[in-house]
Amino acid sequence: MSKSERPSRLFRNLNAKVASIPMILTALVVFVGGTAWTVLYSFTNSKLLPRLNFVGLDQYYRLWATPRWLISIENLLIYGVISLVFSLVIGFILAALLDQKIRFEDTFRTIFLYPFALSFIVTGLVWQWLLNPDFGIQGVIRRLGWTSFDFDPLYNSSIVIYGISIAALWQGTGLIMCLMLAGLRGIDEDIWKAARVDGIPMWKTYLFIIIPMMRPVFITTLVIIASGIVKVYDLVVAQTSGGPGIASEVPAKYVYDYMFFAQNLGQGFAASTMMLLSVMIVIVPWAYLEFGGRKRV
């Protein structure tokens, strides 16, 4: 076919483009439209029902002056750092161990991944029972004779977020392990052979050769972990319902409570807009690293 007879770029794969129109419209109307609607009404004093009575940045000033929101942000930062660091480190170590072609690898992989199949509600209830001071871990060890043993993070307002983080790590580390294991299995065997021939220690091979080669895997894993951190809600509700008091509040629960219990839509929209901003802080650098930062050949 001559160059003049080829269809223009607009009409190439026309059937596929026509088939994608419903999804594009859905994304525009539901996601983009819903997001714009939320941001717009965050500048109003909407209560039970949305209304276009603009009050400027009053909702945001009120939001950042609320102790409950500040505690939510502090908890999210602590939870985020713990989840990000420990899930990456533990997940990579487990993946590296499984990558040694050990016996019963499939069995161990299934065991480590199984908690991820559970919902956060189930995980929260299980760990609520395990961390109960009367009949959980603390109660069992005390009945064995160690009566001074204390381990009740969910009932201590100063460390409750750490108890929630334990449950999150138990559930999510298996997925990170599988992602890391898939990345390790994609490394060419010749690289390992060359490192052994050169006498490079195992830890240096991982640190200076393997991990840099797994950059796309790490970036994807970081995005998955970060998105889970921002939207954490059901795990907190299942374990503590935000208690003791408001010690384990998180932004998602703050948004839900203000929109559906306090009947203050404007405040809930402002809080959800701040959550959207935190998501953008994660997504924009990822998009730049994956697409914008690549050198064009």
Side-chain angles (χ1 to χ4, degrees):
M1 185 185 301
S2 64
K3 186 175 181 179
S4 60
E5 295 176 349
R6 293 179 181 175
S8 65
R9 185 184 296 267
L10 179 64
F11 295 102
R12 293 177 187 173
N13 301 320
L14 186 60
N15 291 337
K17 292 179 179 179
V18 172
S20 65
I21 289 176
M23 180 54 67
I24 294 174
L25 292 176
T26 301
L28 289 175
V29 174
V30 176
F31 297 107
V32 179
T35 300
W37 190 86
T38 299
V39 174
L40 175 65
Y41 278 88
S42 69
F43 297 101
T44 69
N45 63 349
S46 301
K47 295 297 183 182
L48 177 62
L49 296 174
R51 56 180 181 176
L52 283 173
N53 186 9
F54 291 100
V55 292
L57 297 174
D58 286 357
Q59 295 290 2
Y60 292 93
Y61 292 139
R62 190 176 299 114
L63 177 68
W64 287 101
T66 304
R68 182 178 176 184
W69 174 255
L70 298 178
I71 291 174
S72 299
I73 295 298
E74 181 183 355
N75 286 336
L76 188 67
L77 291 175
I78 296 173
Y79 174 86
V81 171
I82 293 174
S83 298
L84 196 62
V85 174
F86 282 92
S87 61
L88 273 177
V89 172
I90 298 174
F92 185 82
I93 292 175
L94 291 176
L97 293 175
L98 289 180
D99 194 44
Q100 305 304 312
K101 308 297 189 297
I102 63 174
R103 296 181 63 186
F104 307 111
E105 176 189 330
D106 292 342
T107 302
F108 284 114
R109 188 167 61 239
T110 302
I111 292 173
F112 291 138
L113 187 59
Y114 178 76
F116 185 73
L118 303 177
S119 68
F120 270 122
I121 294 296
V122 174
T123 298
L125 292 175
V126 168
W127 278 94
Q128 182 190 60
W129 178 82
L130 288 173
L131 299 178
N132 187 287
D134 295 325
F135 48 82
I137 296 174
Q138 175 179 297
V140 171
I141 293 180
R142 284 189 176 185
R143 283 191 289 271
L144 293 176
W146 194 359
T147 56
S148 61
F149 178 79
D150 287 320
F151 188 63
D152 56 347
L154 298 186
Y155 297 84
N156 187 333
S157 59
S158 60
I159 59 173
V160 61
I161 194 64
Y162 298 99
I164 294 173
S165 299
I166 292 173
L169 288 173
W170 178 78
Q171 188 192 44
T173 303
L175 174 64
I176 308 304
M177 177 207 69
C178 287
L179 293 173
M180 295 296 174
L181 184 59
L184 289 172
R185 292 287 164 83
I187 302 296
D188 194 338
E189 189 65 28
D190 291 338
I191 294 176
W192 293 103
K193 293 178 181 178
R196 285 193 291 267
V197 170
D198 293 338
I200 302 176
M202 181 70 73
W203 68 272
K204 284 189 175 181
T205 304
Y206 276 110
L207 190 60
F208 297 109
I209 300 175
I210 303 303
I211 291 179
M213 294 180 66
M214 293 176 58
R215 174 179 167 274
V217 176
F218 274 95
I219 292 176
T220 301
T221 304
L222 285 173
V223 172
I224 292 174
I225 296 173
S227 63
I229 290 170
V230 173
K231 66 181 183 181
V232 61
Y233 169 78
D234 36 9
L235 186 63
V236 174
V237 172
Q239 285 191 273
T240 64
S241 295
I246 58 173
S248 60
E249 286 286 331
V250 289
K253 187 174 182 298
Y254 183 95
V255 171
Y256 184 87
D257 287 349
Y258 267 84
M259 291 182 68
F260 297 103
F261 290 106
Q263 297 180 355
N264 190 339
L265 290 180
Q267 184 69 185
F269 288 149
S272 60
T273 301
M274 297 307 301
M275 290 181 64
L276 173 64
L277 181 61
S278 65
V279 172
M280 295 300 295
I281 292 174
V282 174
I283 295 298
V284 171
W286 168 77
Y288 175 78
L289 289 172
E290 284 295 298
F291 306 107
R294 295 177 179 175
K295 294 181 180 180
R296 299 184 180 274
V297 181

